[in-house]
Amino acid sequence: MPRLDLGVALVIFPEFVDLLDDLDDHLDAYEVEPQTYWLPTGDRGRPWRADLALFEHLAGRGRPIVAHGVSAPVGGSAPPDPRAVALFAESVQHLGAVATSEHLGFNVTTGADNVEVGLFLPPCPSEAGAAAAARAVAAYQQA
């Protein structure tokens, strides 16, 4: 795969969208963390929804967008939440992102009680850990 050279980019959080008219002269591309644009729904089956209006606004500004995941990493022994993966894929599509990425780490322990640890930790450097990460990456690719 050839190098993706998009120039200068800035992570655009929802709070920054109103500042883009002032920032765009300094930016060639945007990095968007789609999960920061997700809103709670109160529905256990689909706990979040994307702010599609903001995604469409960003996509319409004419800058390349790179989407970076920040809540469903691929390096743990438990696969990422399939609801999060599906919404990430939907978000990427609405953004028209030219590339995507996700953390190779984990943020949930597995066992009798799953515990969300609140930060990304490195994966286990083993064949089993690499195989688990490969399955998680494949789930993202499929979505």
Side-chain angles (χ1 to χ4, degrees):
M1 178 173 153
R3 178 183 164 156
L4 186 62
D5 188 0
L6 300 175
V8 176
L10 178 69
V11 178
I12 306 299
F13 294 106
E15 299 81 10
F16 293 176
V17 171
D18 290 339
L19 302 174
L20 289 178
D21 287 339
D22 295 328
L23 295 172
D24 268 351
D25 287 345
H26 307 285
L27 301 175
D28 301 306
Y30 302 147
E31 179 181 320
V32 174
E33 297 174 349
Q35 292 92 335
T36 64
Y37 292 78
W38 292 359
L39 307 169
T41 65
D43 177 355
R44 289 181 144 247
R46 188 172 169 96
W48 320 278
R49 68 174 180 82
D51 189 336
L52 298 181
L54 277 179
F55 285 169
E56 290 171 11
H57 175 75
L58 290 171
R61 293 187 67 88
R63 298 282 192 282
I65 296 174
V66 175
H68 177 62
V70 294
S71 70
V74 298
S77 58
D81 184 329
R83 299 168 302 177
V85 174
L87 188 54
F88 184 79
E90 179 184 324
S91 299
V92 165
Q93 188 173 36
H94 280 281
L95 287 164
V98 298
T100 64
S101 61
E102 179 53 85
H103 289 266
L104 177 61
F106 71 96
N107 60 354
V108 176
T109 65
T110 58
D113 293 319
N114 290 353
V115 176
E116 190 161 328
V117 297
L119 65 147
F120 294 122
L121 296 169
C124 181
S126 67
E127 287 186 35
R135 285 191 300 274
V137 169
Y140 268 94
Q141 290 174 324
Q142 185 175 2

